[in-house]
Amino acid sequence: MSENLKKRIAILGSTGSIGRQTLDVCSQHPDMFQVEMLTANTSSALLIEQALKFDPNCVVICDSSKYQEVFDALDPHGIKVFSGIESVEELVKGDNIDIVLTAMVGFAGLRPTLAAIKAGKTIALANKETLVAAGSLVTQLAAKYHAPILPVDSEHSAIFQCLHCGSQHEVEKLVLTCSGGPFRQKSREEVFNATVEQALAHPKWNMGAKITVDSASLMNKGLEIIEAKWLFGMQPEEIEVVIHPESIIHSMVRFRDGAIIAQLSDPDMRIPIQFALAYPGRLELDTARTDFPALGSMSFFAPDPERFPCLQLAYKALQKGGNTACAMNAANEVAVAAFLQQKIAFGQIPEVIDYAMSRTSFVADPQLEDIFETNAEAERIAKACLN
Ligand code: MG
């Protein structure tokens, strides 16, 4: 493929787990993908290392106290260096970028994602909080500006792949699989009093701290139900969650004739990442090939709402609609941070979320300013609840 046909990629959050794996995919297909922009929150040393290897047009270090260090390292190599989240919002609009992979953590990913959508970029969405907080707005703007949103989350990538087997009106149910996290077999008391160390020891996926805690509480699956609603235009009752500890089936679609299409592989995030970047094609990838005889069997269980109330909170937020999911997400970010700082017990995470969610002012049809206001209000209420 000639130089000008390469897909030019911006990676927002390149030093995190998804960002690093995206660079691994890019390095396996240098003839297909060109890395144009990298951004990091505070990890300056890794950002420098990545930039020296991939030679992007520019990088952004959001933490301005690290700017000089990054500038001194990269400026001699002709790589432009910027700081601050506003720079990310500005640079994603550049004519030199085709695909924006959004892997920033949490609500902070919303503004840069919206900027990229308004510039008509293809969005490879790895920041689920964007759709949870502002799904209605984000999908409306994506349609208006003809910005395709391709899922990177493994479950949604699986569903997206399965949907190629039928038409939208033939879909009866989306079945999201869930590993169950590290506390799947723990008692109610053990789950409630789980330590930070226990919560961060995920059995199947190696990820950042926030999403790992979300996976342990099943809030990650709650966020994914909401993400699925917006990505695929489904009603809450059309989205089911099933616990599948082996994490081989990444999700399924049931069609109206009862036929179920599933997407399978050994767990490896580079598959959904590469599927989004290469879409509509498929490229080679050096993943482990699933060995079915070695696997032997796969198991499935219903989620337990008693031990894992977060999943029900997400369904509740979807049913209520409006800005409720945004409030839930904000409260979850506060609660997870408090848990990681050992200020609250693991079992208090859903209590903080429920408290803040039910007290945040309801807005039926939130616009952008309402989303930011809701996020701030729910954060305030959640922080007050901690004390
Ligand atoms: Mg996922």
Side-chain angles (χ1 to χ4, degrees):
M1 188 174 273
S2 73
E3 192 71 15
N4 58 3
L5 287 178
K6 283 186 188 178
K7 291 185 179 179
R8 299 165 302 172
I9 298 170
I11 304 173
L12 312 191
S14 67
T15 56
S17 172
I18 295 291
R20 296 193 307 268
Q21 294 181 82
T22 303
L23 286 171
D24 182 73
V25 165
C26 291
S27 71
Q28 294 197 35
H29 302 285
D31 54 329
M32 291 288 297
F33 305 125
Q34 183 176 324
V35 178
E36 279 288 302
M37 171 177 172
L38 299 172
T39 83
N41 194 16
T42 58
S43 302
S44 49
L46 183 54
L47 180 66
I48 291 166
E49 187 188 318
Q50 292 175 338
L52 290 174
K53 181 169 175 197
F54 288 91
D55 192 29
N57 175 270
C58 64
V59 304
V60 181
I61 180 80
C62 291
D63 178 352
S64 55
S65 73
K66 304 273 181 77
Y67 171 77
Q68 199 60 45
E69 175 197 348
V70 178
F71 179 86
D72 291 345
L74 299 181
D75 184 64
H77 299 272
I79 299 168
K80 295 179 207 125
V81 179
F82 300 86
S83 77
I85 188 83
E86 318 74 39
S87 300
V88 180
E89 284 182 60
E90 197 52 43
L91 292 162
V92 290
K93 301 181 205 161
D95 289 337
N96 61 325
I97 289 164
D98 302 311
I99 303 180
V100 178
L101 184 130
T102 63
M104 304 168 95
V105 179
F107 186 77
L110 179 59
R111 276 185 191 278
T113 306
L114 288 175
I117 287 172
K118 287 181 181 170
K121 305 300 181 191
T122 295
I123 310 296
L125 189 79
N127 173 274
K128 64 190 72 173
E129 291 88 344
T130 295
L131 278 179
V132 171
S136 168
L137 202 65
V138 167
T139 48
Q140 281 169 35
L141 289 172
K144 182 177 171 187
Y145 292 96
H146 306 288
I149 299 181
L150 302 174
V152 169
D153 210 345
S154 63
E155 293 79 359
H156 305 79
S157 176
I159 288 167
F160 183 55
Q161 293 177 56
C162 298
L163 287 172
H164 285 68
C165 292
S167 304
Q168 169 83 33
H169 71 279
E170 296 164 342
V171 175
E172 189 175 78
K173 199 154 232 178
L174 307 181
V175 183
L176 272 80
T177 53
C178 173
S179 73
F183 306 142
R184 186 174 66 83
Q185 292 169 307
K186 302 286 184 204
S187 71
R188 200 172 171 171
E189 290 66 35
E190 286 172 316
V191 175
F192 192 95
N193 297 309
T195 65
V196 170
E197 193 187 357
Q198 288 167 339
L200 290 181
H202 195 277
K204 287 286 171 190
W205 297 95
N206 186 11
M207 309 172 287
K210 200 266 177 178
I211 186 171
T212 305
V213 174
D214 285 345
S215 297
S217 69
L218 298 205
M219 180 47 93
N220 183 54
K221 212 50 53 179
L223 299 175
E224 289 180 354
I225 295 165
I226 300 171
E227 189 184 6
K229 177 212 154 73
W230 293 112
L231 279 173
F232 306 116
M234 302 297 282
Q235 296 305 309
E237 60 276 13
E238 296 169 327
I239 308 169
E240 184 183 323
V241 171
V242 63
I243 306 292
H244 167 46
E246 295 84 6
S247 299
I248 296 293
I249 297 178
H250 300 306
S251 279
M252 307 179 252
V253 174
R254 194 172 81 213
F255 290 91
R256 62 185 181 186
D257 57 357
I260 298 162
I261 307 289
Q263 188 256 332
L264 295 75
S265 73
D266 281 26
D268 191 328
M269 278 310 294
R270 295 173 309 158
I271 296 177
I273 291 168
Q274 179 170 289
F275 190 80
L277 297 186
Y279 187 77
R282 274 189 198 270
L283 303 173
E284 288 180 12
L285 193 61
D286 68 344
T287 53
R289 269 41 176 176
T290 302
D291 180 341
F292 285 101
L295 179 65
S297 62
M298 293 194 282
S299 50
F300 303 93
F301 308 91
D304 176 3
E306 290 284 304
R307 290 179 302 148
F308 303 102
C310 284
L311 200 53
Q312 293 318 111
L313 290 175
Y315 274 111
K316 193 166 136 188
L318 259 193
Q319 298 290 1
K320 200 169 165 200
N323 63 339
T324 315
C326 177
M328 179 194 81
N329 180 64
N332 182 52
E333 291 193 19
V334 171
V336 170
F339 168 68
L340 288 170
Q341 292 161 18
Q342 303 185 4
K343 289 180 185 163
I344 60 169
F346 184 78
Q348 287 174 302
I349 292 175
E351 295 175 4
V352 172
I353 298 168
D354 199 14
Y355 180 92
M357 214 169 108
S358 53
R359 282 164 180 78
T360 304
S361 321
F362 182 71
V363 184
D365 183 20
Q367 301 305 301
L368 190 57
E369 54 276 25
D370 304 313
I371 297 293
F372 285 100
E373 214 158 283
T374 300
N375 188 67
E377 184 187 354
E379 269 185 6
R380 270 198 311 276
I381 297 171
K383 281 176 183 162
C385 172
L386 295 177
N387 301 321

